[in-house]
Amino acid sequence: MKRITINNIIGKVGEKSGIFLTDVISQYEALGRPKELEIFIQTFGGSTRVGDSICKYFEDLKEQGVKINTVAGEYVASMGVKIFLLGENRDATKCSFFMIHNPWAKPKGDADFLRLFADKLKEEEYEIAEHYASRTGASVESMKALMKIESELTPIQVYQLGFSTIKPQEADLEQVVAFLDLNKNQSKTNNHKQMTKEEFEAKTDSFLARVLNVFKSNGEIHNLIVQDANGKEIDFTELNDGDTPKVGDKATIDGKSASGEYVMPSGDTYSFENGALSKITPKEADTDSEEVANLKAKIAEKESEIETLKNSKETEINNLKETHKEAMNTLKTEVETQFNEFKSTFNFVETKPNQKPNTKKRFGSKIKPE
């Protein structure tokens, strides 16, 4: 049977490019447009937009009568699972681990935008769960529950839940354990026989951790990648973007275990041994020359003078404010005193029409009639 291979990130994630729809179409055309096709999938996932376009292409081929089967590689996660489920016969027996999860994203915007984005993300979550359920025969609720806890599935679980159609045999399960065994100096088969349940689960968790570190936000890589002063990229494989490297963190350079010393833009020096950060040497403090020291002293002196003058002016201004306040209070008192005296000597007499004015004292003096 002729085969199309998807063994990379789907679409573009960060600066890394993987498999696009054009690559899939080119493979199919190069095979001579066969009527029976096997798709080999080994991917951590990637862009939902690119992944959906690939799914749509395969769905169109199926409508045209092309029979499609799928085979899982050592790992299939996220969008890779959606593509895998397109197969009529689905084989996940050879060292295959699946991971399904709720869609992730890191949007930026105001409260209204984030609210709308969250609603859209919830819709996509339901659509994925519904897609899984329609292909596996499980309920939507079951798929949503597994997605919520970011489930990693063994080949047996993949088969039992209906993701694959071929039941793994004992030999297949031994290969799964061998794949998880990181000790290359011992026989994989012997290691499998010696492993306890706890050791097996620990290795399973290690695999999931690597998947989550490589792939997040529904296709967005979160590995922390820093550059030294010369632009050399240092990839901290177990850190997320935004984390601060510390002694013991593992890193690679040019795809190999980091080794040697690298001066960072901050001036700190990172020392690596056997792929791990072994030492962080802080930048040495600069020793000022005598001239620079004198200039700093003069600047400090002038700053002190300015501060003294500032305090003096503030005191002067406060004194002027207080003097002005006292003068205004004194003036207010004098005005009120004169006004009260004026009121005490004023005698208002109402006159009636055609009545002659009263010749009594007004304002303290006699008024003669004209």
Side-chain angles (χ1 to χ4, degrees), residues 294-306:
N294 291 334
L295 287 174
K296 285 186 175 181
K298 288 182 179 179
I299 291 173
E301 182 180 349
K302 291 299 181 183
E303 288 177 344
S304 178
E305 291 177 2
I306 292 172

Side-chain angles (χ1 to χ4, degrees), residues 345-351 356-368:
T345 59
F346 181 75
N347 185 17
F348 177 79
V349 179
E350 180 181 2
T351 58
K356 293 183 178 181
N358 198 336
T359 58
K360 291 183 179 180
K361 288 184 179 180
R362 297 178 67 186
F363 301 104
S365 62
K366 292 183 179 181
I367 299 177
K368 294 181 181 180

Side-chain angles (χ1 to χ4, degrees), residues 179-212:
F179 168 67
L180 290 173
D181 193 348
L182 304 179
N183 186 350
K184 297 180 181 179
N185 296 323
Q186 299 181 18
S187 166
K188 293 180 179 179
T189 304
N190 290 339
N191 280 336
H192 166 54
K193 292 179 180 178
Q194 296 172 2
M195 287 179 67
T196 64
K197 177 183 177 183
E198 290 74 17
E199 290 171 333
F200 178 83
E201 290 177 347
K203 291 183 181 293
T204 302
D205 292 340
S206 175
F207 174 84
L208 178 61
R210 293 198 301 275
V211 173
L212 290 174

Side-chain angles (χ1 to χ4, degrees), residues 100-130:
I100 60 175
H101 60 83
N102 281 336
W104 293 307
K106 295 195 304 182
K108 294 180 180 179
D110 61 17
D112 290 337
F113 175 82
L114 294 178
R115 192 176 296 108
L116 292 172
F117 194 95
D119 291 342
K120 180 63 179 176
L121 204 61
K122 202 69 178 176
E123 290 177 9
E124 186 174 350
E125 174 187 322
Y126 183 82
E127 289 174 3
I128 294 173
E130 194 174 43

Side-chain angles (χ1 to χ4, degrees), residues 17-36:
S17 292
I19 299 293
F20 290 84
L21 176 60
T22 52
D23 301 310
V24 172
I25 294 176
S26 296
Q27 289 187 60
Y28 182 69
E29 293 293 329
L31 293 173
R33 303 180 183 178
K35 287 298 182 179
E36 191 168 355

